[in-house]
Amino acid sequence: MGGGGGLGRTRLSHTGDGGYINDVVFAELVREAIALGYEVVPYEAQGEQYHATETMNEQQARDYWQAQNLLAATLQKDADAKVLVHCGYAHLQETASTRWTPMAYYLHQATGLDPLTVDQTAFAERGIEQAEHGWRQGSEARGLIEDRPLVLLDAAGDLLRREQDNVDIRVVNPRTQYVNGRPVWMRMGGRRVAVAIDTPECVSEAGVISAFDADWEERAVPYDRVEVMAAKMDMYLPPDTEMELRGFRLDGSLVFRRALTTP
């Protein structure tokens, strides 16, 4: 739900009731939303809402209640609210099929609103390039995909759409590049810098290094988290920040805590 607010670092803790938020990139998305003034609301189906009924199978029941929970937390409280929904790829499809009745479809049915839906999966890179969508392969062969996300247009300048498309926009993201074994998209558009970290404790035994703001609580979601078995590795961290590094064995036991000031 939109609102005012200044940019800045926002404390974010993992409460154990959602696995996604403990991912360092997803956590940064939520931090930024809070800093921009958004009210973050849960909308996942809960408990009995997952169960099939006489008229809905389990998938339909889940997506139906996702839509109802979202509306109850947003537009039913404020009809003029600006709502940004982050969801898994199929939940944003706007039309129902014999195989899937998506959340966005139920939202449209309940409100009459036509949501702007943006997909980032259909044209995504794959483990095997030959398995990637032909439009992505063709765009890359023509040198169109560089270092920024893009959308494909036809000769008239309109969004290029597949005949069966049931979303508004499909984004093509750059191919992942690696430096010292880390994906460079961790720079997050300049929000992060690569910092070389000495890890002598991890030379003979693999460990997990996590980086936190120095004054954050124990359950805070780290800025970066890396499994390493080497004397040095890179972490992507906010610049000019007092940090605390915590090193853990793979069984979760703590090996060290030490301070770091990022450049």
Side-chain angles (χ1 to χ4, degrees):
M1 191 176 300
L7 295 176
R9 294 195 300 276
T10 303
R11 294 169 186 257
L12 186 68
S13 295
H14 174 47
T15 60
D17 56 3
Y20 292 128
I21 206 169
N22 201 31
D23 175 82
V24 296
V25 179
F26 195 95
E28 187 67 8
L29 182 151
V30 177
R31 287 193 191 102
E32 180 69 2
I34 295 171
L36 289 171
Y38 279 89
E39 176 188 346
V40 180
V41 298
Y43 63 85
E44 181 57 82
Q46 301 291 328
E48 294 294 322
Q49 294 179 349
Y50 272 105
H51 295 174
T53 67
E54 291 184 0
T55 58
M56 293 182 182
N57 60 35
E58 289 184 358
Q59 177 274 306
Q60 292 169 328
R62 180 190 179 194
D63 279 65
Y64 171 81
W65 282 110
Q66 284 180 337
Q68 296 305 311
N69 294 339
L70 181 61
L71 290 173
T74 57
L75 295 177
Q76 289 175 6
K77 290 183 175 181
D78 179 359
D80 296 322
K82 297 178 181 179
V83 182
L84 173 66
V85 183
H86 191 284
C87 63
Y89 71 101
H91 298 294
L92 58 58
Q93 295 176 4
E94 297 185 36
T95 57
S97 69
T98 56
R99 298 178 59 247
W100 190 270
T101 309
M103 174 182 64
Y105 170 83
Y106 286 121
L107 282 171
H108 177 70
Q109 292 296 305
T111 65
L113 299 173
D114 181 12
L116 175 66
T117 50
V118 182
D119 171 78
Q120 299 189 79
T121 60
F123 299 153
E125 59 184 324
R126 310 293 183 192
I128 302 174
E129 291 186 26
Q130 291 78 3
E132 294 171 356
H133 194 281
W135 288 4
R136 179 189 177 90
Q137 293 184 50
S139 299
E140 201 157 33
R142 296 172 63 184
L144 298 179
I145 304 177
E146 297 179 343
D147 59 352
R148 295 183 179 183
L150 57 89
V151 295
L152 302 178
L153 306 179
D154 61 21
D158 298 321
L159 285 169
L160 194 61
R161 297 174 63 89
R162 304 180 303 174
E163 183 177 346
Q164 73 275 26
D165 260 347
N166 54 7
V167 301
D168 295 311
I169 301 173
R170 294 195 184 273
V171 177
V172 185
N173 284 299
R175 187 168 301 281
T176 300
Q177 303 295 322
Y178 294 87
V179 174
N180 296 330
R182 301 299 312 282
V184 297
W185 46 251
M186 278 294 294
R187 295 172 182 164
M188 298 185 186
R191 297 167 61 88
R192 302 288 183 84
V193 294
V195 181
I197 305 294
D198 293 321
T199 54
E201 301 88 349
C202 301
V203 172
S204 59
E205 180 183 8
V208 176
I209 313 300
S210 295
F212 303 84
D213 252 334
D215 63 346
W216 281 19
E217 65 273 12
E218 289 295 316
R219 295 184 64 82
V221 180
Y223 279 121
D224 199 0
R225 181 194 295 113
V226 187
E227 182 178 342
V228 59
M229 190 172 180
K232 187 183 291 288
M233 55 85 184
D234 287 348
M235 300 189 81
Y236 285 90
L237 306 172
D240 192 27
T241 304
E242 297 296 322
M243 310 291 294
E244 181 182 83
L245 300 180
R246 302 177 196 169
F248 301 88
R249 297 182 180 89
L250 297 186
D251 64 6
S253 58
L254 183 68
V255 177
F256 67 82
R257 298 175 72 155
R258 62 173 178 261
L260 169 74
T261 301
T262 57

